[in-house]
């Protein structure tokens, strides 16, 4: 007879079936009134698990054994996918990943924002499921005689020691291997905590070494032997300013058609999936039948990823970004591409949104906020006369919160489309288009 007692912490569960996947990528199991979240599983897996953290309303567990694998399960491409925190869903075939991303996205919006399911479009798949990451941070640590490089295990500072990653293009894996080989032979590696690797649309590579020792010149000389990358930099003691060893520190992505070349400084933000970024820009542009008379306000504009493609089609674009280096590059990119209808401001969007709306009277608002969303901004926007809002989100939960406010305060959702920018993970990007109620 089955006990009604919940599974105790540290105890191994009996074989139980994973009911579904949830936001955050974990599987969900219900047992004797207890809700348990388990990472690294597929819906339909029969598993044993061990509870590692018991909360009042739920418990978190670790996978102990797959008793019977789900038909949705596959062998991961990476041998440490089950240990590394970089990929949560490599054990799912890509078509299954897309099904779950779209399903969870729909559930977030229909349940939390109360929008109609038919307004949500099918997910846009990534052109590449592997080798798509144009930027990556490699964690480093000297342990005994070994120089470990790799990624943290989930919810820890323990490095999974690896020499390559299938999500990275071959050029970056080769750069990683060369840097590791050179640094591991030197005592200087004991003071290296991270390697930042990047590649742009023209296959130019850059590496930034995070160093907290006192022999910068010796390390710089050592790094010059890395001959398969154009740009070499040191980040010393976590200071913002980088020490230049070689190169100009500029990486360039190509967007739109005809092609625009947008540069950004090493260490600054750019989308990591460059082919999918192009698709996302195309989707944003296609939402509105531009007449060439529009005034567009682009918040969190970065180095002009949306601003400049849109500027080709409208009267004026005002871009706002808190990062001074990104705004500097947005201005430079506009100059290089001969735009005369753009204005870029280095400011906190939330602090100046009211002034911007009053001064420029924008017809269209584009915003691409961080994961925390833009709740304080949408509360102010709802009082404005902006007719069109295009909201690019990297977090369905904060999007649902902000969307719920907009649709209850003067706007209606015209459509929302999930986009897979991050294959092999549970993360989901999206574009949502709102119109002002008549």
């Amino acid at each position: 007879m089955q006990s009604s007692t919940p599974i105790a912490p540290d105890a191994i569960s009996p074989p139980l079936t994973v009911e579904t996947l949830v936001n955050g990528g974990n599987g969900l199991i219900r047992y004797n009134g207890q809700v348990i979240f388990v990472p690294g599983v597929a819906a339909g897996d029969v598993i044993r698990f061990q509870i590692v953290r018991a909360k009042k309303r739920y418990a978190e567990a670790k996978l102990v054994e797959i008793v019977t694998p789900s038909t949705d399960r596959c062998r991961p491409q990476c041998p440490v996918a089950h240990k590394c925190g970089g990929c949560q869903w490599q054990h799912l075939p890509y078509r299954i990943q897309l099904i779950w991303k779209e399903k969870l996205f729909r559930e977030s919006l229909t349940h939390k924002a109360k929008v109609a399911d038919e307004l949500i479009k099918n997910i846009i798949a990534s052109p590449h499921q592997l080798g798509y990451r144009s930027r990556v941070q490699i964690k480093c640590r000297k342990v005994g005689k070994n120089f470990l490089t790799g990624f943290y295990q989930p919810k820890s500072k323990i490095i999974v020691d690896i020499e390559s990653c299938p999500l990275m293009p071959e050029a970056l894996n080769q750069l990683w291997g060369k840097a590791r080989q050179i640094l591991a032979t030197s005592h200087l590696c004991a003071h290296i905590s991270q390697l930042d690797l990047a590649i742009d649309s023209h296959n130019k590579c850059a590496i930034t070494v995070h160093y907290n020792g006192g022999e910068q010149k010796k390390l710089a000389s050592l790094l010059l032997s890395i001959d398969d990358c154009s740009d070499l930099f040191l980040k010393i003691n976590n200071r913002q300013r980088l020490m230049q060893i070689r190169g100009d520190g500029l990486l360039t992505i190509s967007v739109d058609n005809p092609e625009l070349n947008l540069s950004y400084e090493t260490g600054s933000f750019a989308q990591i999936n460059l082919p999918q970024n192009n698709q996302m820009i195309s989707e944003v542009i296609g939402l509105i039948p531009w007449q060439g008379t529009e005034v567009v306000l682009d918040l969190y504009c970065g180095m002009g990823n949306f601003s400049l493609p849109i500027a080709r089609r409208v009267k004026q674009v005002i871009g706002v970004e808190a990062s001074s280096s990104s705004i500097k590059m947005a201005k430079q990119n506009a100059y290089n591409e001969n735009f005369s209808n753009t204005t870029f401001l280095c400011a906190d969007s939330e602090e100046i949104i009211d002034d911007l709306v009053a001064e420029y009277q924008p017809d269209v608002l584009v915003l691409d906020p961080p994961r925390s969303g833009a709740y304080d901004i949408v509360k102010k926007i709802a009082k404005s006369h902006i007719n069109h809002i295009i909201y690019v989100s990297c977090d369905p939960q904060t999007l649902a919160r902000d969307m719920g406010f907009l649709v209850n305060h003067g706007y209606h959702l015209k459509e929302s489309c999930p986009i897979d920018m991050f294959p092999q993970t549970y993360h989901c990007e999206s574009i949502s288009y709102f119109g002002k109620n008549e």
Side-chain angles (χ1 to χ4, degrees):
M1 183 175 179
Q2 186 179 5
S3 169
S4 61
T5 305
I7 298 167
D10 300 326
I12 305 299
S13 74
L16 296 170
T17 302
V18 178
E19 295 179 23
T20 186
L21 300 183
V22 297
N23 285 300
N26 294 334
L28 181 147
I29 291 174
R30 292 183 178 90
Y31 180 74
N32 289 339
Q34 191 177 31
V35 174
I36 303 113
F37 297 113
V38 189
V41 298
D45 277 344
V46 179
I47 66 169
R48 297 181 192 271
F49 58 83
Q50 182 179 23
I51 291 177
V52 295
R53 191 174 291 104
K55 304 282 187 176
K56 187 175 181 180
R57 300 177 61 185
Y58 65 93
E60 298 174 359
K62 66 177 181 180
L63 177 64
V64 173
E65 179 189 4
I66 300 172
V67 179
T68 306
S70 165
T71 55
D72 285 352
R73 178 176 284 277
C74 69
R75 182 183 295 275
Q77 295 270 356
C78 178
V80 297
H82 63 294
K83 294 181 180 179
C84 175
C87 299
Q88 304 85 34
W89 279 2
Q90 260 201 52
H91 60 283
L92 301 179
Y94 188 57
R95 63 177 181 84
I96 301 296
Q97 294 180 34
L98 292 176
I99 288 171
W100 278 106
K101 287 189 185 191
E102 182 177 322
K103 175 181 170 61
L104 294 173
F105 183 78
R106 286 180 181 276
E107 287 179 355
S108 294
L109 268 55
T110 56
H111 293 172
K112 295 186 178 182
K114 307 300 182 186
V115 297
D117 182 75
E118 58 265 25
L119 297 177
I120 302 171
K121 298 175 67 177
N122 294 335
I123 193 167
I124 298 175
S126 173
H128 307 290
Q129 293 87 59
L130 300 171
Y132 66 85
R133 287 198 67 112
S134 65
R135 295 184 297 110
V136 67
Q137 296 178 341
I138 309 295
K139 304 300 180 182
C140 308
R141 185 172 298 140
K142 181 73 180 297
V143 178
K145 295 182 179 180
N146 298 318
F147 181 51
L148 307 183
T149 64
F151 305 103
Y152 288 143
Q153 291 182 15
K155 299 181 180 180
S156 82
K157 298 294 183 180
I158 299 172
I159 295 175
V160 179
D161 186 34
I162 52 177
E163 297 183 7
S164 65
C165 172
L167 298 197
M168 294 164 52
E170 186 57 30
L172 288 190
N173 276 316
Q174 290 179 1
L175 177 57
W176 178 2
K178 186 69 174 287
R180 175 182 170 125
Q181 179 184 14
I182 290 170
L183 294 171
T185 61
S186 170
H187 69 281
L188 298 172
C189 72
H191 302 284
I192 293 171
S193 60
Q194 185 169 299
L195 306 176
D196 296 344
L197 311 180
I199 187 170
D200 70 6
S201 294
H202 307 286
N203 295 318
K204 179 184 180 184
C205 293
I207 181 170
T208 300
V209 179
H210 293 234
Y211 180 66
N212 58 13
E215 299 179 84
Q216 294 98 315
K217 290 185 179 179
K218 184 175 288 188
L219 179 56
S221 178
L222 181 65
L223 291 172
L224 283 171
S225 59
I226 302 176
D227 53 12
D228 45 2
C229 88
S230 301
D231 287 3
L232 291 166
F233 287 84
L234 288 182
K235 188 168 188 177
I236 301 168
N237 296 322
N238 289 322
R239 296 174 193 153
Q240 285 299 111
R241 188 171 179 83
L242 302 181
M243 175 181 167
Q244 182 180 12
I245 301 173
R246 183 174 67 210
D248 60 8
L250 296 182
L251 296 166
T252 303
I253 67 171
S254 298
V255 300
D256 206 10
N257 187 20
E259 189 174 89
L260 289 171
N261 288 307
L262 308 182
S263 297
Y264 68 99
E265 292 184 333
T266 298
S268 295
F269 177 80
Q271 291 287 354
I272 64 167
N273 188 334
L274 299 184
Q276 191 70 322
N277 180 56
N278 255 331
Q279 178 66 29
M280 183 167 65
I281 291 170
S282 177
E283 291 292 318
V284 165
I285 290 171
L287 289 171
I288 295 176
W290 308 99
Q291 303 299 310
T293 58
E294 295 87 359
V295 176
V296 179
L297 180 59
D298 182 12
L299 304 184
Y300 310 97
C301 69
M303 52 32 173
N305 191 49
F306 293 114
S307 302
L308 297 180
I310 289 173
R312 280 177 156 170
R313 297 159 171 90
V314 302
K315 178 182 178 181
Q316 185 181 17
V317 172
I318 305 94
V320 184
E321 169 62 55
S323 166
S324 58
S325 63
S326 292
I327 281 295
K328 180 180 76 173
M329 292 313 304
K331 292 177 179 179
Q332 187 63 50
N333 289 330
Y335 176 81
N336 291 344
E337 295 287 352
N338 299 311
F339 284 97
S340 59
N341 63 336
T342 58
T343 301
F344 290 101
L345 305 172
C346 185
D348 186 303
S349 295
E350 180 187 334
E351 292 180 0
I352 68 167
I353 180 66
D354 289 336
D355 293 338
L356 292 172
V357 171
E359 179 178 355
Y360 292 101
Q361 296 291 305
D363 310 289
V364 180
L365 175 70
V366 177
L367 66 161
D368 184 7
R371 293 195 183 281
S372 55
Y375 189 63
D376 290 333
I377 287 176
V378 299
K379 286 193 294 185
K380 296 178 179 181
I381 292 168
K383 303 172 186 176
S384 74
H385 297 288
I386 298 173
N387 290 321
H388 307 275
I389 297 175
I390 299 173
Y391 190 137
V392 180
S393 169
C394 58
D395 187 285
Q397 303 306 301
T398 55
L399 170 65
R401 176 200 65 199
D402 297 351
M403 180 180 291
F405 185 89
L406 284 172
V407 298
N408 285 300
H409 293 83
Y411 286 88
H412 61 277
L413 179 67
K414 292 190 172 186
E415 64 177 67
S416 187
C417 181
I419 300 176
D420 188 19
M421 294 288 285
F422 313 103
Q424 317 306 329
T425 79
Y426 65 83
H427 296 291
C428 186
E429 200 95 357
S430 62
I431 303 167
S432 299
Y433 176 32
F434 301 86
K436 187 74 172 177
N437 293 342
E438 298 296 333

